[in-house]
Amino acid sequence: QGKFTLLRDTRTDGSFLVHHFLSFYLRAGCKVCFVALLQSFSHYNIVAQKLGVNLTAAKERGQLVFLEGLKSCLDLVFGEEEEQPGQPSPLQFLSESPSDLRALFDFVRVSLSAPDSGSWKGPVLLVDDLTVLLSLGATPVAVLDFIHYCRVHVCSQLKGNIVVLVHSSEDVEDEENELVVNSLCHHSDLILWAEGLATGFCKDVHGQMKIIKRLSLQQVGEQDLVQVYQYKIQERNVTFFARGLSAAVL
Amino acid sequence: LVFTEEDKYGLYSNLLFKYFLAEGIVCGHELFVASAKEHPDNILKELPAPLLDDTHGEKLGDEAAAVKSEDFQDSMKIAWRYQNLPKIEASPTTYTKFGHYYDVSKKMPPELLQSIKWHSFYLHEELSSQPKMKACNMNSAYMRLLQSLQRIISQGGFDGSDPQKKPKNVLRIGIQSLGSLLWGDDICCSETPEDAHSLTKFLYVLRGLLRKSLSACIITVPAHLIQNKAIMERVTNLSDMVVGLESFIGSERETNPLYKDYHGLVHVHQIPRLNSLICDVSDTKDLAFRLKRKLFTIERLHLPPDLSDGVSRASKQELAGSAKLLSSGCGAMAIGKKHLDF
């Protein structure tokens, strides 16, 4: 309850983690607000079906609130001039000020505070992928503010969980990106870091996953617990194994 | 979204670009060509002619016989082409062959060109019209392009908005040399450009348009000119497929005996992972291309035997003997779900 999990990927695609958490929380009966900035609804739907969850049904019964970033953006950019005055687009920062992500936060707040939330266990906010906001022109400070507001509202007030995916690269070329990612790392309770193998591409081992439990946040003097596994992604699930012990080797 | 990094002199990337469009014509798709450099009419006149005879198909055996019936998803991938490698994005349901072959030395016959509907966007002709979209803090050239694209998509019924429109067809979009100075974007000129977000915003909106319509897009970008690596990273994140072409012209590799059979390397930086947890990764990532008089082929990089005494090779690994031809000739790169099944 009230945890902030950071999903991070470097040199590889960590979106399988997003799919996992989405189906995990839906199956657990939580109310999920999914801010999907990178892919379309049908993509997530098709993968979720393979994992045993029906997103359309979840949306209909009110368990899932889905913000399709791509569609919202199109509506904003190509939309008609007359807009309902009470409902600004969540991605309003694109046409308004790039340092104001308030509309996006309002969307999250409204969707997770709806009166029927009592019928679901704990609210969850899921974001894929936060670094896209930087590509769209939002300032890093605005992104961090947005996450901060979400944390206060979802984690502290509603005792819900937040899972956010960010993309980082090994060379520190993109300073804004590094700023956001590092800051989020410091504030996370759990970090799942999917990295491509340093030795290059391999058919049987798709990458390495570092799991960092930030025990140092809970108690002074505690060390963070770091575990490293390697993984291989398959059609319907992901297998994890200790380093060097992939099925191909054994 | 296929993102292609151009080679230094744009020779091969242009070739790929033309292949993509040529395949569209042969498959009966509609085309949308945008460029700030050359007038699209000229680009279209220069497309390679397809080899439509069956004898060629027999020679290549099972590569050509791949029968693929595929239900069209609502959204197609956008291919960023680095270099003008034509990528055959859509798998046509009416053809049993997957992809076609082209003869580079001949031009596409004009009757074929007229058999399909095509739209062009030449930046310098469009400068007079005012963009009607909401100001998005984006480069105005990009805004116009997006507006034009959106108009074509909704009028052509590619996004399914009008149920009365004709049976569904695919729109192939080709955008040449995006991000270059000709589009009014200065990311190729300096490391801290004034408007660093125009390209990425454009890509995001483009991605949205592609996801909600039956279209595939290839973009070529002079990536070697973009000095800000952060932008390249973001652009890669926003694209489905990223391919880089590195030609040997003018570099030290031109005279390197290891590469004497080839004209350049193909770097596949990213392949699409859509509608699935996994993506189809091939066994090898070392690909090279060569341009013969008639054919443009992409093959697994095969190093010639090391016959010199006592001198070790400059390059690292040695690939196994048989250079299996991965690619069929011009432009028949079957993407879709089976990504690198050339």
Side-chain angles (χ1 to χ4, degrees), chain B residues 5-36:
Chain B
E5 276 166 7
E6 287 176 11
D7 58 321
K8 252 209 227 153
Y9 301 102
L11 290 171
Y12 301 107
S13 35
N14 258 324
L15 202 50
L16 271 182
F17 191 73
K18 287 179 183 145
Y19 274 125
F20 182 79
L21 300 174
E23 178 69 12
I25 293 183
V26 175
C27 293
H29 299 152
E30 255 182 70
L31 293 185
F32 181 100
V33 185
S35 171

Side-chain angles (χ1 to χ4, degrees), chain B residues 130-148:
Chain B
Q130 280 300 317
K132 293 188 275 296
M133 298 162 30
K134 283 199 205 132
C136 226
N137 307 329
M138 207 195 301
N139 185 332
S140 67
Y142 292 156
M143 283 210 297
R144 286 199 185 88
L145 176 55
L146 283 173
Q147 191 170 4
S148 175

Side-chain angles (χ1 to χ4, degrees), chain B residues 94-129:
Chain B
T94 51
Y95 294 79
T96 52
K97 257 190 342 174
F98 197 27
H100 299 85
Y101 302 104
Y102 297 91
D103 184 343
V104 186
S105 56
K106 300 200 202 115
K107 299 272 174 280
M108 163 109 30
E111 316 82 58
L112 262 186
L113 193 54
Q114 273 146 25
S115 64
I116 59 119
K117 213 162 129 196
W118 57 275
H119 314 271
S120 73
F121 180 95
Y122 186 48
L123 182 63
H124 306 293
E125 276 172 8
E126 307 269 342
L127 282 176
S128 46
S129 60

Side-chain angles (χ1 to χ4, degrees), chain B residues 165-308:
Chain B
K165 286 277 173 34
K166 310 187 294 292
K168 293 182 180 180
N169 197 353
V170 173
L171 179 68
R172 270 180 196 247
I173 306 169
I175 307 182
Q176 199 184 39
S177 270
L178 201 62
S180 71
L181 200 52
L182 295 165
W183 287 94
D185 199 344
D186 64 348
I187 52 174
C188 287
C189 306
S190 70
E191 231 182 89
T192 46
E194 289 217 352
D195 183 8
H197 295 119
S198 267
L199 182 62
T200 42
K201 277 192 213 170
F202 169 80
L203 286 185
Y204 192 75
V205 179
L206 179 59
R207 191 182 169 102
L209 280 175
L210 293 179
R211 284 287 191 272
K212 76 167 221 191
S213 61
L214 286 174
S215 41
C217 176
I218 184 168
I219 303 192
T220 76
V221 168
H224 55 278
L225 295 176
I226 296 181
Q227 289 158 11
N228 189 338
K229 292 286 171 272
I231 295 185
M232 286 313 299
E233 185 71 36
R234 291 182 184 180
V235 155
T236 302
N237 207 16
L238 288 171
S239 321
D240 293 313
M241 172 186 281
V242 176
V243 171
L245 289 179
E246 182 193 334
S247 82
F248 294 146
I249 301 176
S251 79
E252 60 190 8
R253 291 184 177 177
E254 197 169 12
T255 46
N256 188 332
L258 291 175
Y259 293 124
K260 68 173 164 49
D261 288 332
Y262 302 105
H263 289 117
L265 295 176
V266 176
H267 302 285
V268 180
H269 296 288
Q270 183 168 285
I271 53 180
R273 194 187 289 244
L274 282 186
N275 295 331
S276 166
L277 274 180
I278 53 174
C279 52
D280 200 13
V281 206
S282 75
D283 285 334
T284 177
K285 286 199 160 180
D286 294 305
L287 298 171
F289 64 85
R290 72 170 105 180
L291 176 62
K292 298 193 254 209
R293 191 173 59 85
K294 280 194 172 192
L295 288 185
F296 179 83
T297 55
I298 295 182
E299 303 165 358
R300 206 179 265 162
L301 181 60
H302 166 60
L303 301 176
D306 189 5
L307 296 173
S308 57

Side-chain angles (χ1 to χ4, degrees), chain A residues 13 37-39 43 47 50 69-70 74 76-77 94-95 129 134-136 167 174 176 201 203 233-234, chain B residues 133-136 197 200-201 204 207-208 211-212 230 233-234 237 273-276 278 281-283:
Chain A
D13 185 11
L37 295 173
L38 207 51
Q39 299 281 14
H43 165 79
V47 182
K50 291 190 186 155
L70 292 168
L74 285 183
L76 175 70
V77 165
L94 277 176
S95 55
D129 121 22
L134 292 174
S135 299
L136 291 176
H167 189 81
D174 193 344
E176 291 183 348
F201 161 71
K203 210 162 58 137
I233 307 178
Q234 289 152 335
Chain B
M133 298 162 30
K134 283 199 205 132
C136 226
H197 295 119
T200 42
K201 277 192 213 170
Y204 192 75
R207 191 182 169 102
R211 284 287 191 272
K212 76 167 221 191
E233 185 71 36
R234 291 182 184 180
N237 207 16
R273 194 187 289 244
L274 282 186
N275 295 331
S276 166
I278 53 174
V281 206
S282 75
D283 285 334

